[in-house]
Amino acid sequence: MAGPVRRIVTGHDGAGRSVIQEDGPPARVVTLGGESGTTFHELWNTRSTPAAIDRASGEPAEPGISLLPPKGGTRIRILDIPPDDGTLAALPREAVRALFEAIGAGHALAEDPPHPLMHRTETVDYAIMLEGELVLILDEGETPVRAGDVVVQRGTSHAWANRSEANARIAFVLVDGQFTEGLGA
């Protein structure tokens, strides 16, 4: 995979001056799906909008990994996605559901999908391709996403596939959303 992820968090000292509060790897890094699985680098979450800005409280605590942002909040993460090696396509549907259940999103899986990881969340996701190449798969069509590309994913059913021979790294900012009439699950 690419080099380590570094998280720099700023805050305020007692006089209100800006300071570096944290500088190092994210506290939560988890690989789902075994050695050929995706690595989640959980960087930060907020619990509301507008987000509270204080002197130095740190990131709101969370156990494990959650696919979705907190209700009314946001989440930023980086994913390292290795090349597809056929392992995913060979997984039984129950195993895929178990992976999604492990991140609190079993309900998000699509029924009869064109890709085993197809899912839909009630979020607006900003996906920034950092390294490598992925394929964004939708119900109708797909497109390559390369370093420097940005996807604004608006609550649509989707999956990501690494059909290249190199690792891929993508950053996501997830914003809690709400489906309008006619789009709900």
Side-chain angles (χ1 to χ4, degrees):
M1 282 295 159
V5 172
R6 179 180 173 203
R7 179 179 76 166
I8 302 164
V9 180
T10 65
H12 301 89
D13 67 13
R17 293 182 303 249
S18 59
V19 297
I20 294 174
Q21 183 178 326
E22 295 180 42
D23 185 346
R28 293 177 296 135
V29 177
V30 174
T31 300
L32 293 178
E35 288 182 25
S36 63
T38 297
T39 300
F40 287 66
H41 304 267
E42 296 298 286
L43 298 172
W44 199 263
N45 74 84
T46 62
R47 299 290 180 186
S48 62
T49 302
I53 300 172
D54 58 13
R55 291 193 187 281
S57 63
E59 179 185 15
E62 284 188 317
I65 303 294
S66 174
L67 180 65
L68 302 172
K71 197 71 177 158
T74 64
R75 176 175 313 287
I76 183 169
R77 69 169 43 107
I78 291 176
L79 295 182
D80 287 331
I81 303 175
D84 292 348
D85 63 1
T87 304
L88 222 55
L91 284 176
R93 192 70 180 152
E94 301 78 38
V96 172
R97 184 164 305 285
L99 287 174
F100 272 77
E101 290 288 346
I103 55 176
H107 66 282
L109 278 174
E111 296 300 322
D112 194 29
H115 186 277
L117 298 183
M118 194 84 146
H119 63 285
R120 181 178 185 215
T121 57
E122 203 166 355
T123 60
V124 173
D125 303 346
Y126 306 117
I128 304 116
M129 196 69 206
L130 301 173
E131 295 179 33
E133 179 178 313
L134 293 171
V135 176
L136 171 61
I137 303 166
L138 301 174
D139 291 324
E140 298 293 331
E142 57 183 51
T143 189
V145 181
R146 298 178 182 95
D149 292 348
V150 176
V151 175
V152 179
Q153 196 282 116
R154 303 179 324 115
T156 55
S157 189
H158 68 284
W160 298 94
N162 185 345
R163 297 178 182 157
S164 77
E165 295 181 10
N167 293 316
R169 179 171 274 182
I170 187 167
F172 287 94
V173 177
L174 294 86
V175 180
D176 184 38
Q178 185 172 15
F179 290 130
T180 60
E181 188 174 321
L183 287 180

